[in-house]
Amino acid sequence: SQSHCESLLSSIASTKSYGESKTRPIRCRDGTMVFPWSAPSRATQMQNLKEKHFDVLVIGGGCVGNGIALDAATRGLGCAVVEREDFAAGTSGRSTKLIHGGVR
């Protein structure tokens, strides 16, 4: 005998999807449920870059690029970030003169 809440969560979990992956809720120790986020596929992301309008295009997803994207987004601008490797894969220590470069 499932409670109404559990059956509702089950139906949401079976239909909620992002890109090609379906998400499943995770029950926390305090009884709440969270839905993990999964990034859209590369093909979906490339299609979005081609079709959507962005006010700002940031090249580089290190601490400086992410900071620029955060600033643009908080100002209400549409922002896209492109990165050669994985986000925060390198360090921005050489370009920003930070002692400990990188995204934390």
Side-chain angles (χ1 to χ4, degrees), residues 63-93:
C63 67
V64 174
N66 283 329
I68 292 167
L70 174 64
D71 185 68
T74 57
R75 294 170 190 261
L77 300 172
C79 187
V81 181
V82 293
E83 170 60 52
R84 177 180 54 190
E85 296 180 35
D86 195 8
F87 286 97
T91 178
S92 300

Side-chain angles (χ1 to χ4, degrees), residues 15 20 22 24 43 47 49 55-56 67 71 81 94 96-97 102:
T15 60
E20 290 97 35
K22 287 192 179 262
R24 297 277 183 238
Q47 195 65 32
L49 283 172
D55 300 308
V56 178
D71 185 68
V81 181
R94 292 178 301 280
T96 63
K97 308 299 184 253

Side-chain angles (χ1 to χ4, degrees), residues 8-70:
L8 180 62
L9 286 172
S10 294
S11 67
I12 292 170
S14 65
T15 60
K16 188 170 184 172
S17 66
Y18 297 98
E20 290 97 35
S21 66
K22 287 192 179 262
T23 59
R24 297 277 183 238
I26 298 170
R27 184 178 299 279
C28 299
R29 285 182 222 155
D30 65 359
T32 59
M33 301 289 281
V34 295
F35 287 88
W37 180 82
S38 58
S41 69
R42 180 173 172 83
T44 301
Q45 293 178 34
M46 294 300 290
Q47 195 65 32
N48 285 339
L49 283 172
K50 291 176 186 176
E51 294 176 354
K52 292 185 179 179
H53 170 79
F54 297 99
D55 300 308
V56 178
L57 174 64
V58 179
I59 301 172
C63 67
V64 174
N66 283 329
I68 292 167
L70 174 64

